[in-house]
Structures are given as structure tokens and as C-alpha cells.
């Protein structure tokens, strides 16, 4: 069988029709707008799915994807491919200073015995493990409240990586030395360059898929704190307000919402008041 023309010319590209269809689907499912400037990025990411599914070209892949009604699994791969998963341990560290020095002492003084905390876009797990490190250290060293962490994401592949809790050693460098010693395991084989989060911390976190575009977030009892950082920047203003409103509905009165330092809820009508930079209390 001869190779398709695009494989010879190297001109495999998405048609405008297919790019528009993908853009509409991603916006409907994930709230993320894909302007035309993202075309090259999307083509690059989808070529991996073309190879994995053995389709003839990008446009053949799109025709198959949207014309076959039994491809929910592949559509999840599409969502995984186009979402951005930037994450670091102790990213935006002032939030964790606030958590350790202000939020946790206040909640301890209120007599709370157990905290429920939600990392609402956990990516590969750096954020929920960072949260758990701070909560666990406070519980151990200052007789603070017990805790449980829920970590969710739309992307099933990053959730699988988060559950494993294995990272390149360089990635945990931002973790303070005392916490690294307590919560990070190095392999016996010194030639390996990865590390693993200790089992006690992994067992304190529940990982689950959740789509922030859903009308309701089934997270159980009200949360004491929610971290949803550097996610709203990918949404338009109406979607941002809808998501934050649903997040606020999951907080107990007095609970805290942490957003990314570049994110704002100015102009939104929400039951939240600012208590620190991009930290909001439910009123």
C-alpha cells in the first residue's frame, strides 16, 4: 500500500472545518477556547494520536473521531492531548506561607478536628502533595487537625501519574529540606534520578476525575479549603464566574478559596471576600 500524499509532502494539516469542530468540542467539554493561533500546537499534539490510532492523517482522524458515536475513550484522549498541565511543588509559595502561618492556626483555634481540602485541578499531583505536606507537618508538629485531600482533574493520564507519586528528583527541589527528608523517598539505586512520595502521604489523598464544566461538583461534604489555581486563565469571563460560583458552593461558610496569582474575580457577584492576595473567604 502506498503512503498517503501528506506523508510524502509533509503537509499534513487540519482543515479549518476540523479545527473549528475540535475547538467547539474542547470549549463545550473543558471550557477552553482555542483561538486560531493555537492551530500549530493542536496539530502537533494530535499527530501523536494519529500515530497511536493508525489513522491516515489528521483529517482522517477527525472524521473518525466525530462520526463514530462509540469513541468516548478516544475523545478523552483528545481532551488529555489539548489540556495544559504545568505544575510544580510549592508553586506560588506565598499561598503555602498563608496556609501554614494563618489559615491552619485559625482553623485550629476554631476547634476543627479534621479538614477537608480539595485540589481542583491537580495535574500530575505536585499541588495536592504540597498541600498534604503542609497539613501533615502542622498536624504532627503543632497538634493540628487531621486532614483529607481530594485531588481532581479532567485529564486521566495526569491523574494516573499523580496516583503513582513518582517524580524526577529535580522536580522536588522547591520542597523545603525538612519536608523533603520527611515526605520524599529516594531509590536505593543511586543511578536512578526519580523519587517517590511516602505512602502515608499518598494514602491521605483521594484522586478522581472531575470536569469543572459540569453543572455540579459531587465532592461530598463542604470543603474547608479549595485550591483552583492557574485554571481560570484558560476560560472566558462568563465561564470563570460560573466555575468560581460552583466552587464557592462547595465551601463551608468561612472556608477558603485559593486562586492563581494572575487570576481575578473582580466584577463577579460571589459570596467571597478577599483575605490575602488571591485568597478568598466564603461569607
Amino acid at each position: 500500500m502506498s503512503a498517503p500524499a501528506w506523508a510524502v509532502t509533509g503537509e499534513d494539516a487540519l482543515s479549518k472545518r476540523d479545527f473549528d469542530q475540535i475547538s467547539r468540542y474542547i470549549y463545550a467539554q473543558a471550557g477552553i477556547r482555542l483561538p486560531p493561533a493555537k492551530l500549530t500546537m493542536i496539530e502537533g499534539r494530535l499527530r501523536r494520536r494519529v500515530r497511536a490510532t493508525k489513522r491516515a492523517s489528521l483529517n482522517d482522524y477527525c472524521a473518525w473521531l466525530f462520526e463514530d458515536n462509540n469513541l468516548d475513550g478516544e475523545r478523552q484522549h483528545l481532551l488529555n492531548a489539548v489540556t495544559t498541565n504545568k505544575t510544580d511543588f510549592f508553586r506560588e509559595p506565598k499561598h503555602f506561607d498563608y496556609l501554614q502561618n494563618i489559615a491552619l492556626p485559625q482553623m485550629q483555634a476554631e476547634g476543627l478536628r479534621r479538614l477537608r481540602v480539595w485540589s481542583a485541578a491537580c495535574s500530575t499531583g505536585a499541588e495536592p502533595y504540597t498541600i498534604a505536606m503542609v497539613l501533615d507537618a502542622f498536624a504532627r508538629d503543632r497538634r493540628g487537625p487531621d486532614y483529607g485531600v481530594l485531588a481532581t482533574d479532567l485529564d486521566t493520564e495526569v491523574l494516573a501519574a499523580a496516583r503513582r507519586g513518582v517524580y524526577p528528583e529535580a522536580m522536588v527541589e522547591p520542597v523545603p529540606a525538612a519536608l523533603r527528608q520527611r515526605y520524599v523517598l529516594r531509590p536505593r539505586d543511586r543511578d536512578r534520578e526519580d523519587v517517590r512520595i511516602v505512602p502515608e502521604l499518598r494514602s491521605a489523598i483521594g484522586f478522581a476525575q472531575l470536569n469543572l464544566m459540569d453543572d455540579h461538583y459531587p465532592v461530598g461534604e463542604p470543603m474547608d479549603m479549595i485550591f483552583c489555581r492557574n485554571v481560570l486563565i484558560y476560560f472566558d469571563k462568563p465561564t470563570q464566574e460560573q466555575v468560581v460560583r460552583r466552587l464557592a458552593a462547595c465551601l463551608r461558610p468561612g472556608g477558603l478559596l485559593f486562586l492563581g496569582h494572575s487570576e481575578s474575580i473582580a466584577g463577579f457577584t460571589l459570596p467571597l471576600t478577599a483575605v490575602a492576595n488571591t485568597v478568598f473567604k466564603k461569607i
Side-chain angles (χ1 to χ4, degrees):
M1 183 176 67
S2 61
W6 66 264
V8 177
T9 63
E11 295 179 349
D12 182 28
L14 282 172
S15 68
K16 182 180 185 303
R17 173 182 175 275
D18 287 332
F19 179 75
D20 289 346
Q21 190 169 23
I22 287 174
S23 298
R24 289 192 298 271
Y25 181 78
I26 296 301
Y27 181 73
Q29 296 298 314
I32 299 171
R33 288 200 178 277
L34 296 177
K38 298 287 187 181
L39 172 61
T40 301
M41 180 197 76
I42 296 303
E43 287 176 338
R45 293 186 180 185
L46 291 189
R47 285 189 184 106
R48 292 193 290 270
R49 294 310 308 161
V50 171
R51 291 192 294 270
T53 57
K54 296 180 171 58
R55 307 311 300 180
S57 67
L58 284 168
N59 291 317
D60 176 52
Y61 172 79
C62 290
W64 170 69
L65 185 69
F66 292 112
E67 291 174 10
D68 190 327
N69 292 325
N70 298 308
L71 292 176
D72 288 345
E74 185 55 35
R75 293 188 187 108
Q76 179 63 56
H77 283 300
L78 170 66
L79 292 172
N80 293 351
V82 302
T83 50
T84 300
N85 293 298
K86 174 73 171 73
T87 185
D88 297 293
F89 285 87
F90 283 85
R91 185 181 186 185
E92 299 183 342
K94 289 185 178 179
H95 278 158
F96 299 105
D97 293 339
Y98 183 89
L99 175 62
Q100 177 178 310
N101 299 321
I102 299 176
L104 289 176
Q106 286 179 349
M107 291 182 180
Q108 183 180 35
E110 293 171 13
L112 295 178
R113 295 185 176 182
R114 181 172 176 82
L115 301 178
R116 300 191 74 233
V117 185
W118 177 19
S119 171
C122 70
S123 187
T124 56
E127 180 178 86
Y129 286 126
T130 299
I131 294 167
M133 288 179 190
V134 176
L135 295 177
D136 193 78
F138 190 85
R140 289 191 190 190
D141 301 341
R142 301 173 65 175
R143 297 183 180 179
D146 192 8
Y147 67 93
V149 178
L150 172 66
T152 66
D153 203 281
L154 174 64
D155 188 328
T156 55
E157 292 179 1
V158 298
L159 282 171
R163 288 187 183 97
R164 289 194 297 272
V166 176
Y167 301 96
E169 187 168 10
M171 190 172 170
V172 300
E173 288 180 0
V175 179
L179 298 183
R180 271 205 314 273
Q181 184 174 2
R182 181 181 282 185
Y183 298 116
V184 177
L185 296 172
R186 284 176 169 76
R188 293 180 180 177
D189 181 356
R190 289 301 177 180
D191 291 333
R192 290 177 54 183
E193 296 182 352
D194 56 10
V195 296
R196 190 167 196 179
I197 304 301
V198 297
E200 298 85 353
L201 218 59
R202 297 202 310 272
S203 65
I205 302 174
F207 292 97
Q209 187 184 28
L210 186 142
N211 189 344
L212 292 173
M213 293 301 101
D214 291 345
D215 294 333
H216 171 70
Y217 303 153
V219 296
E221 295 296 315
M223 294 286 169
D224 297 291
M225 288 177 275
I226 298 174
F227 287 71
C228 187
R229 305 185 307 157
N230 304 299
V231 179
L232 299 183
I233 54 175
Y234 298 106
F235 302 152
D236 58 22
K237 285 292 183 180
T239 304
Q240 289 177 1
E241 184 167 8
Q242 292 165 10
V243 168
V244 176
R245 186 177 304 281
R246 291 192 288 265
L247 291 171
C250 296
L251 277 172
R252 66 167 175 84
L256 298 175
L257 173 65
F258 294 76
L259 299 179
H261 286 333
S262 63
E263 296 172 327
S264 172
I265 60 172
F268 297 165
T269 303
L270 299 164
L272 299 168
T273 185
V275 294
N277 183 24
T278 57
V279 183
F280 304 88
K281 178 179 286 189
K282 183 172 181 178
I283 55 178

